[in-house]
Amino acid sequence: MTQTPATTAAVKVLPKHARVLIIGGGILGCSVAYHLGKLGWRDIVLLEQGQLTCGTTWHAAGLVGQLHGSHASTEFAKYTVELLNTIEAETGQDPGYRESGSISIATNPERLAELKRKADFASLFDIEAHYLSSEEIERHWPLVNPEGVLGGIFMPRDGSANPIDLTMALAKGARQHEAQLLEGVQVQQVLVEGTCAVGVVTDQGTITAEVVVNCGGMWARALGQQHNVGVPLHACEHYYLVTEPIDALPRDLPVLRSYCDGTYFKEDAGKLLFGFAHHHAKPWATTGIPEPFSFESLPFIEDDVMDVIEMAMKRVPLLEQVGIRTFFNGPESYSYDGQFTLGTAPDLSNYFMLAGLNSTGIQTGPGAGRALAEWIVNGYPALDLSGMDPARCEPFQARDRYLQARCPETLVRTYAMHWPNYQRETARNIRRSPFLP
Ligand SMILES: Cc1cc2nc3c(=O)[nH]c(=O)nc-3n(C[C@H](O)[C@H](O)[C@H](O)COP(=O)(O)OP(=O)(O)OC[C@H]3O[C@@H](n4cnc5c(N)ncnc54)[C@H](O)[C@@H]3O)c2cc1C
């Protein structure tokens, strides 16, 4: 299903040279361009093969939560909320942020312990988080079925943003800093001399560059493969649904995450948007991403998600009585280990990457883009990003067979308990001892 036709019109004048050449006009590419400009760098060129946001960004549900699995990603998301509250004054573009707060609930004691521990973790970052009893949860979220709910945490400064408006605000800010963001230009090849990236070849000419940044979303891995740069991600099918308008829906409902069911709920202009961490997930485009792929969605296969839809209906029984307006399935990049790919290519200088944000690109993208921009400008990262280092990826971990088996497990485990030292179940027995049968 195509929503908006891709822009393929040729750009009239392509610059010959850029200080930094960014590939990809999703939220991540625009964030890197904006932050490089803010840090005072000029001659920034971003190339987008379709239109800004046309890959994955346009269809995100827009949830913005500040607590994440690592120090770095939590710093990123905390900064995103700061930016969401200030970028309109700077650029004139409203990012559509609604600071509704969020509530995460637990239905088993282990999860409750984890949520309480997360609330403590939040205090390390000066992020506000309060414990709520099940009675308080019902008061804040009157539509919830309280059966089995033991308690939860409330984070008043979380909320939701409009992914397109936020990306356009970053793009506008980047342009205010003189960056050129060009649509309808496809990068065909990254140019390399010796072991150094020196520019790109596009469908409309060549641009030399001092630094090349791969923010190509689910296309980033294929771009990396041209030079044996491992970008360990694969697109997976990711669903959500949006109801018909609901008269009784309070407009100030916080985002609700029911971790044990793997479901989330967001008030969306008088409708309820709900989605989930799937019980079963599928890799998408296993033989390559079809071209063109711009503002596209994927077939909604009810049987693939019926079990989680039922969980959602159980948690919010009103869903059994309302019609569904939108059944959405779109591709998102997941990595094999749930970590981002952020940093430099291990064996190719002046080649940076930011991709594979595991369905958190809207909430962490502004912060992740700032971190990469600081790294480019200063020559080193401003915080410990070692968990996201592209060098962690072994060659086999950037190949189809491994990623198509392992990345869907990352999606399935989105809301899973974070047991220490938990080992993945898929794609096992790849490296075997020669002494074993
Ligand atoms: C159903 C769904 C719900 C989601 N909900 C949320 C949410 O609630 N909160 C959240 O934080 N995240 C959410 N996400 C995730 C979020 O949408 C992504 O993490 C984010 O949009 C990724 O941004 P990106 O810039 O990496 O990718 P993209 O938006 O895909 O951008 C990459 C761009 O690169 C361009 N490109 C690729 N190759 C080339 C080339 N060779 N030349 C020129 N251009 C090129 C593409 O056309 C594309 O526009 C959701 C995702 C899905 C699918």
Side-chain angles (χ1 to χ4, degrees), residues 89-234:
E90 192 182 325
T91 64
Q93 168 71 50
D94 178 0
Y97 190 46
R98 256 182 0 109
E99 204 170 88
S100 57
S102 76
I103 296 177
S104 300
I105 61 175
T107 57
N108 64 49
E110 295 81 11
R111 178 71 68 173
L112 192 60
E114 183 179 64
L115 288 180
K116 286 180 174 170
R117 194 187 61 77
K118 277 178 132 185
D120 283 347
F121 183 66
S123 64
L124 290 176
F125 299 86
D126 285 331
I127 295 174
E128 211 180 324
H130 308 283
Y131 175 73
L132 293 184
S133 66
S134 48
E135 293 74 30
E136 288 169 315
I137 290 167
E138 260 190 282
R139 266 207 305 284
H140 276 82
W141 229 91
L143 302 172
V144 73
N145 171 7
E147 193 189 321
V149 177
L150 301 178
I153 56 173
F154 176 51
M155 308 203 34
R157 296 208 57 209
D158 283 358
S160 58
N162 180 316
I164 296 181
D165 292 345
L166 170 57
T167 306
M168 289 308 177
L170 292 164
K172 206 168 165 197
R175 285 182 169 129
Q176 283 172 344
H177 295 297
E178 298 169 29
Q180 294 186 65
L181 279 58
L182 307 176
E183 298 176 297
V185 186
Q186 186 177 53
V187 172
Q188 294 175 329
Q189 201 192 332
V190 173
L191 275 175
V192 169
E193 275 176 20
T195 56
C196 188
V198 294
V200 295
V201 179
T202 79
D203 54 354
Q204 292 159 54
T206 296
I207 305 179
T208 58
E210 291 158 41
V211 172
V212 174
V213 185
N214 180 351
C215 287
M218 60 188 168
W219 294 264
R221 184 163 65 97
L223 273 168
Q225 272 166 349
Q226 293 177 350
H227 304 290
N228 291 324
V229 175
V231 188
L233 58 82
H234 203 287

Side-chain angles (χ1 to χ4, degrees), residues 329-379:
N329 178 12
E332 162 65 346
S333 302
Y334 287 87
S335 63
Y336 67 86
D337 56 359
Q339 297 280 358
F340 302 174
T341 299
L342 190 166
T344 51
D347 303 313
L348 196 57
S349 52
N350 299 347
Y351 188 107
F352 286 78
M353 302 167 246
L354 175 55
L357 268 54
N358 306 299
S359 217
T360 70
I362 307 306
Q363 49 207 303
T364 58
R370 178 175 73 161
L372 193 73
E374 287 170 343
W375 190 338
I376 293 168
V377 168
N378 299 327

